[in-house]
Amino acid sequence: MSATDTHEPTRRDFLYIATGMAGAVGAGAFAWPFIDQMRPDASTLALASVEVDVTQLQPGMSLTLKWRGKPVFIRNRTPEEIEAAKAVPIAELKDPVARNNNLPADAPATDADRAAGEGKENWLIMVGVCTHLGCVPLGQAGDFGGWFCPCHGSHYDTAGRVRKGPAPENLLVPTFAFVSDTKVRIG
């Protein structure tokens, strides 16, 4: 046979192609349940982000909600709480890093870097899990007027920064954004 000769398809060629296609479809049908079970559950997807209306939170009030299986504290801080947090020098902090997922990893733990941002300094949003052993701290308690973990005695200030006790890090600030003046999306 030369390169210019053409080959007429035969019944055998058709059977090879049809068998190969049926095998591919069968393999796909067999593999699909294994692939499908790797997708996240619908309840997990629903918790990926949550929108919260903060209209009812007057200065000095807090709200605790559940996000990704963890408590999240939303606090509308009073001017006095903001001033108390601003007055703390970074050198006095146990953890000088902001731990704010909205900022670079090395951002300092100033009150401005822990709060919701310019124009919304009164809002503080944090994952409410003690960084020592994962307990849930009590709000508006402790030596610094912020949060207190009674399990092992960690004290957090009004910006959620660890100031005393065994906790090694500040409370985590999750990724969030205000979608309007009264609604915040977490996650």
Side-chain angles (χ1 to χ4, degrees):
M1 263 190 170
S2 70
T4 58
D5 289 343
T6 59
H7 173 70
E8 284 291 317
T10 65
R11 183 169 183 230
R12 178 171 284 163
D13 294 334
F14 171 76
L15 289 174
Y16 283 145
I17 292 171
T19 303
M21 296 284 278
V25 169
F30 178 77
W32 179 251
F34 297 108
I35 295 168
D36 189 48
Q37 61 103 20
M38 289 185 229
R39 291 187 314 159
D41 183 71
S43 63
T44 303
L45 292 175
L47 292 174
S49 68
V50 63
E51 283 190 14
V52 182
D53 185 359
V54 293
T55 308
Q56 301 300 318
L57 290 180
Q58 298 300 315
M61 293 177 69
S62 295
L63 170 71
T64 303
L65 61 109
K66 194 171 183 178
W67 172 70
R68 293 186 179 174
K70 297 177 185 171
V72 172
F73 301 147
I74 299 176
R75 176 129 177 105
N76 188 353
R77 300 184 299 167
T78 65
E80 294 79 23
E81 290 173 328
I82 296 168
E83 289 308 313
K86 284 181 178 179
V88 177
I90 296 284
E92 284 185 19
L93 298 175
K94 212 173 161 185
D95 180 13
V97 180
R99 311 266 177 224
N100 186 337
N101 286 342
N102 303 293
L103 299 174
D106 62 346
T110 63
D111 180 65
D113 284 349
R114 299 276 304 156
E118 196 167 323
K120 299 207 179 288
E121 295 88 1
N122 56 314
W123 293 104
L124 189 63
I125 300 169
M126 304 172 304
V127 176
V129 175
C130 180
T131 58
H132 178 232
L133 290 176
C135 307
V136 178
L138 303 173
Q140 293 70 60
D143 292 352
F144 303 95
W147 289 263
F148 171 66
C149 184
C151 300
H152 300 99
S154 293
H155 297 258
Y156 299 88
D157 66 10
T158 58
R161 301 172 296 197
V162 64
R163 300 287 302 280
K164 182 177 167 185
E169 297 178 349
N170 300 323
L171 294 175
L172 178 70
V173 176
T175 303
F176 71 89
F178 274 86
V179 293
S180 74
D181 285 339
T182 59
K183 277 197 176 186
V184 63
R185 178 183 299 123
I186 301 169

